[in-house]
Amino acid sequence: MHVVTLDSDTDFDGWRKAARALAMNDVRPADVTWRVKGAAPDLFDDEAETQLPEVPKGAFSVPASFMELAESAILHSDPTRFTLLYRLLWRLRTNHDLMEIATDPDVAQANALARAVRRDVHKMHAFVRFREVGREREARYVAWFEPEHHIVERAAPFFASRFADMPWSILTPELSAHWDGSRVSFTSGVSKAEAPTEDRLEEVWLRYYASIFNPARLKVKAMEKEMPKKYWQNLPEAKLIQPLIAAASRRTSAMIAEPGTEPHKPQKRVEETAMTRTPKAHAHAAAQTSHDVEPTDLQTLREEAAGCRACPLWKDATQTVFGEGPAHAPLMLVGEQPGDKEDLAGHPFVGPAGQMLDRALEEAGIDRSKVYVTNAVKHFKFVARGKIRLHQKPATPEIKACRPWYERELAAVRPALVVAMGATAAQSVFGKITQVTKNRGQIVDLPDGPQAMITVHPSYLLRLPDAEAKAREYELFVKDLKVAAAALKRAHAA
Amino acid sequence: MELLRKLEILADAAKYDASCASSGTEMRDSRDGKGLGSTAPGMGICHSYAPDGRCISLLKVLLTNACNFDCLYCVNRASSNVARARFTVDEVVKLTIDFYRRNYIEGLFLSSGIIRSPDYTMEQVVSVARKLREEHRFRGYIHLKTIPEADEALIAEAGRYADRLSINIETPLEESLTQLAPEKDQRAIRRTMGRLRLKLDETAEAKKTVRRAKPPRFAPAGQSTQMIVGADEANDRVILSTSANLYGAYKLKRVYYSAFSPIPDASRALPLQAPPLVREHRLYQADWLMRFYGFDADEIVEENEGMLPLDIDPKLAWALRHRDRFPLDINKASREELLRVPGFGTRTVQRILATRRTTTIRFADLAQLNVVRNKALPFIVLSDHRPSPSLLDGAGLRARLRPKPQQLGFGF
Ligand code: SF4
């Protein structure tokens, strides 16, 4: 029989050194007795400490997860923990994967110990209540706490990094921790009588505790689960618990029985009442001939469109993304619909496709600040995939529902040239499904004034998988824009 | 007014906001000796619990409970006759520091009734945070409530000081907000959330690319929101799909569900009853299923049902509706499948996957794996356990698995 005496309850290094020597000499767990110096005498007290055997050359390795677990589990108050950990170590020599087997009783037991220790540390971080001793510059902060396990050393650094600028002490029956502004030191345990019993702020804290409690939602079990009764005696607010519970149902019924107050007359938001909720009224006029649409100024249009409910797309989106640009821009660019970023920002073409467009416009010699940009459909259409919103192509009914906004923008801006980017835009601009590839780059006259041209949507370029195709298509896109620029020049000259 | 009385009024007024967490922010401490406080990433600390079962982690108060708006579900609405109070900026700052030094709290959660204008109110809220951070070098947690329609520059400043920002969506149905809170506009609320997300994305992006200059700080613990449950007609299906939309669109850290609760001096326009606490609980469970178990919002509640069952949890309800997918052999099933077994938590699934790499899991092992046995057994196969087919197909299974009726939440 080997008897090992550790220096203290938390003497991990001593345990580790002894365990290593014993395991390497193949000493069976049943043949080792572990005890702590100065602890209460036990059954084996008459057995003298034995010499540790020599450690043979060589080494054996244990998984990091075991070391981590052992360092926590050893802080548990269970007197059998040293034996349990040694047994695990001993078994690890022949089964290196042992720690992965959650169903092994030794592993499960050690995990449970470590969990209890971690929980006790967490509760100490939470439930220590400092009391102020002395005032102002002289103040010290002193707390009394009764941990369940040997955790004071483990828990102390947390308080040091949190309350570095004030001197504090945490007194416990086993060990006391102190901070003097530069380092943590430990002294032996004390009795509760040595701890301060009051604090000038305690009454304020109790008032807060009583006020933040909602008597209409009593859930005592949930409270006790997280704040077990064993901690209550050192929590000043705990003395309020019973009275608060006792008064809860009376307070709640009193609230329900009360007659209630008349609400104020609703003050509707001013802008909102002025908003047209659908573009239908105007759509009707627009349906006859586009040039019949009475031009409204863009700001009014934008405000009206913000409340549009003409198709279901508004519902899942953040906001209407309306067109932007100078009021009478000679060039109007029409895209498909806003994307994720545009939806969040509320501006068209601010995402990756927008940046691509900016670059292409510059290369084509078109000044973006002189262009009016908008989309055929003004709300973002998407499907949610977890935390990602995947862009969806608008369907014909949505394009149709939204077209009146485009028509009214067109009537307000009166550009010389409209460039439709992509199929959705083309459908809106030409009022019917129009193929992009067949018609791109051609300037045509629209029935009622402006000229129009079709090209691809910049996001099509972004989606192309290989770099070569991307470069080629980008050149074509810029070429189209150059055609547009030339047409604009002609229109200007005319 | 005496400070204690103010605290009473302004904490009382704040207790209907369900958010409490102090989690998920960056790591800070005061080891350099130049400030006060610390935060840890990961779990926050609950310093106490109230008898309503809720964690007390932050000093949760309103700057003022005076409000120009008349939101019917709110105790602070203009037409309510409750006592009014207003903290000064310095009072909140001092209270926060004093409480913090005694280890009562992790930090501050500050909200406010809307007075004068959204900008004025937001500026007041921000100035508390500014003072805490700049004058007192406070490094604890700060959660600020964003006032709808406040100026973008103020929100940017709020994000510089706060760990978390939130703005409440209030009701799941936009139409009911128009009725219950005529001065509030859900679209404006969503626009603010959208702006917050863009800022959060930008900051995350800058952190990845900019090496030398530190990017400006912006709410490292992200944004959250609250939805009131039971003040309008919205069913659970609508609520969950609203949440899914909010998570997807604005990358919220949390959606808090707050069962509409009787309030002092309630408005006559709202029916008063005990709050639907069980329903709230089921919604939180369903929310977890979406966030950690790979469930889609619309498979959690049956389309033709609309409401989550109250007697059993939503995962069990789902499994009972999809009995054809069970029983599952837990020594073979995929992670995704295991996550759908009633009585298995995410940790349980992790342990199963690790354990079965080296050994076969048997009936007796279930206790060590932290499985809720009576819930799981009808749905799983082990080398020495196979549920009888009549059990899984039988009509009585639901009744068998239903927890014994018990009075909720009361008892000591
Ligand atoms: S997509 Fe167009 S038509 Fe549909 S709601 Fe939005 S603005 Fe109105």
Side-chain angles (χ1 to χ4, degrees), chain A residues 97 100-105 108 115 122-132 141 157-166 179 182 184 199-205 207-209 211-224 226-227 229 235-237 241-242 244-245 251-252 255-256 258-264 266-269 271-272 306 309 314-319 340-341 343-345 379 382 384 386-389, chain B residues 4-5 7-8 11-12 14-16 29-31 33 35-39 43-54 56 58-61 70 72 77-79 81 94-95 98-106 149 174-175 178 182-185 187 190-191 194-195 197-198 245 247-252 259 261-269 272-275 277 280-281 351 354-355 357-359 365 368-369 408-412:
Chain A
D97 295 329
E100 298 298 308
I101 307 178
T103 54
D104 180 273
R115 247 195 328 275
H122 185 75
K123 293 302 181 196
M124 179 162 168
H125 291 164
F127 296 151
V128 152
R129 297 280 181 265
F130 285 114
R131 286 179 162 138
E132 190 186 62
Y141 292 82
F158 165 85
F159 295 99
S161 64
R162 170 159 296 190
F163 303 110
D165 73 342
M166 68 191 212
W179 171 258
S182 59
V184 184
D199 182 279
R200 67 187 165 92
L201 225 70
E202 220 144 88
E203 195 196 336
V204 188
W205 171 238
R207 260 330 152 92
Y208 175 69
Y209 182 82
S211 308
I212 204 71
F213 160 60
N214 183 349
R217 354 179 355 133
L218 207 52
K219 269 183 158 178
V220 179
K221 283 229 179 78
M223 170 190 68
E224 284 179 6
E226 300 297 338
M227 193 166 75
K229 282 190 170 153
L235 293 171
E237 66 272 24
I241 293 175
Q242 296 302 349
L244 284 175
I245 293 172
R251 287 171 65 193
T252 309
M255 281 192 290
I256 295 179
E258 227 177 277
T261 314
E262 220 40 75
H264 280 177
Q267 311 175 347
K268 274 271 173 195
R269 304 167 62 82
E271 328 87 271
E272 199 159 315
R309 304 287 191 259
W314 66 273
K315 229 175 167 126
D316 288 337
T318 303
Q319 54 195 319
D340 184 61
K341 211 155 178 202
D343 170 77
L344 299 171
H379 273 111
F382 63 93
K387 292 215 166 179
I388 302 205
R389 301 193 291 177
Chain B
L4 270 181
R5 180 72 190 124
L7 176 64
E8 218 165 56
D12 193 286
K15 73 187 174 199
Y16 303 97
D29 67 42
S30 56
R31 283 269 184 172
L36 167 69
S38 63
T39 49
M43 251 217 310
I45 297 181
C46 296
H47 286 266
S48 195
Y49 290 82
D52 52 22
R54 298 201 282 183
I56 298 175
L58 303 168
L59 168 61
K60 196 195 296 186
V61 288
D70 205 40
L72 297 188
R77 69 191 184 286
S79 63
N81 291 318
K94 187 158 184 328
L95 210 49
D98 277 350
F99 273 15
Y100 196 83
R101 286 203 184 281
R102 284 155 181 83
N103 204 39
Y104 297 159
I105 52 167
E106 285 294 286
E149 292 174 78
E174 188 159 349
E175 305 83 67
T178 321
E183 292 104 336
K184 272 194 188 150
D185 172 4
R187 286 293 134 175
R190 292 176 74 112
R191 282 199 299 274
R195 264 191 284 165
R197 192 197 128 185
L198 277 178
N245 175 291
Y247 281 129
Y250 313 116
K251 294 203 185 133
L252 298 177
S261 142
I263 47 177
D265 196 46
S267 169
R268 220 172 276 170
L272 268 192
Q273 325 131 350
L277 292 184
E280 180 191 280
H281 180 64
R351 279 191 205 127
T355 302
R357 242 173 264 141
T358 30
T359 175
D365 297 331
Q368 318 280 33
L369 292 168
L408 220 109
F410 203 87
F412 44 87

Side-chain angles (χ1 to χ4, degrees), chain A residues 279 305 308-314 320 376-379 398 401-402 405:
Chain A
C308 180
R309 304 287 191 259
C311 80
L313 289 187
W314 66 273
T320 310
V377 170
K378 311 278 191 263
H379 273 111
E398 289 142 7
C402 214
W405 291 121

Side-chain angles (χ1 to χ4, degrees), chain B residues 85-241:
Chain B
R86 178 175 178 180
F87 274 133
T88 65
V89 168
D90 286 326
E91 281 167 340
V92 182
V93 167
K94 187 158 184 328
L95 210 49
T96 307
I97 301 272
D98 277 350
F99 273 15
Y100 196 83
R101 286 203 184 281
R102 284 155 181 83
N103 204 39
Y104 297 159
I105 52 167
E106 285 294 286
L108 174 68
F109 173 19
L110 189 62
S111 172
S112 179
I114 297 169
I115 42 167
R116 289 198 219 169
S117 71
D119 281 354
Y120 173 80
T121 311
M122 192 70 213
E123 163 55 33
Q124 292 287 299
V125 168
V126 169
S127 60
V128 173
R130 185 193 305 123
K131 201 152 199 175
L132 274 169
R133 291 282 193 238
E134 292 192 339
E135 282 176 29
H136 297 267
R137 295 171 178 265
F138 177 68
R139 287 161 200 180
Y141 199 91
I142 298 180
H143 178 157
L144 297 181
K145 186 115 286 177
T146 308
I147 307 297
E149 292 174 78
D151 190 82
E152 193 155 357
L154 282 169
I155 293 187
E157 200 185 354
R160 218 159 35 243
Y161 303 121
D163 290 283
R164 175 167 288 181
L165 295 175
S166 62
I167 179 163
N168 289 351
I169 192 88
E170 312 289 10
T171 58
L173 290 170
E174 188 159 349
E175 305 83 67
S176 40
L177 192 67
T178 321
Q179 273 176 16
L180 297 175
E183 292 104 336
K184 272 194 188 150
D185 172 4
Q186 205 175 81
R187 286 293 134 175
I189 293 168
R190 292 176 74 112
R191 282 199 299 274
T192 304
M193 286 183 177
R195 264 191 284 165
L196 288 178
R197 192 197 128 185
L198 277 178
K199 280 259 181 209
L200 290 163
D201 282 359
E202 261 166 42
T203 314
E205 205 47 48
K207 256 195 198 131
K208 262 186 262 160
T209 50
V210 182
R211 287 284 136 107
R212 258 176 260 145
K214 247 178 126 186
R217 191 176 169 284
F218 193 83
Q223 61 164 330
S224 63
T225 194
Q226 162 168 299
M227 221 185 305
I228 299 166
V229 175
D232 69 4
E233 294 300 301
N235 66 23
D236 293 346
R237 197 176 154 86
V238 169
I239 292 176
L240 290 173
S241 71

Side-chain angles (χ1 to χ4, degrees), chain A residues 100-103 111 115 118, chain B residues 338 345-357 361 366-371:
Chain A
E100 298 298 308
I101 307 178
T103 54
N111 275 324
R115 247 195 328 275
R118 277 197 299 269
Chain B
L338 290 173
T346 47
R347 293 279 303 275
T348 301
V349 171
Q350 239 172 48
R351 279 191 205 127
I352 290 174
L353 293 173
T355 302
R356 75 183 192 189
R357 242 173 264 141
I361 297 168
L366 292 180
Q368 318 280 33
L369 292 168
N370 239 340
V371 169

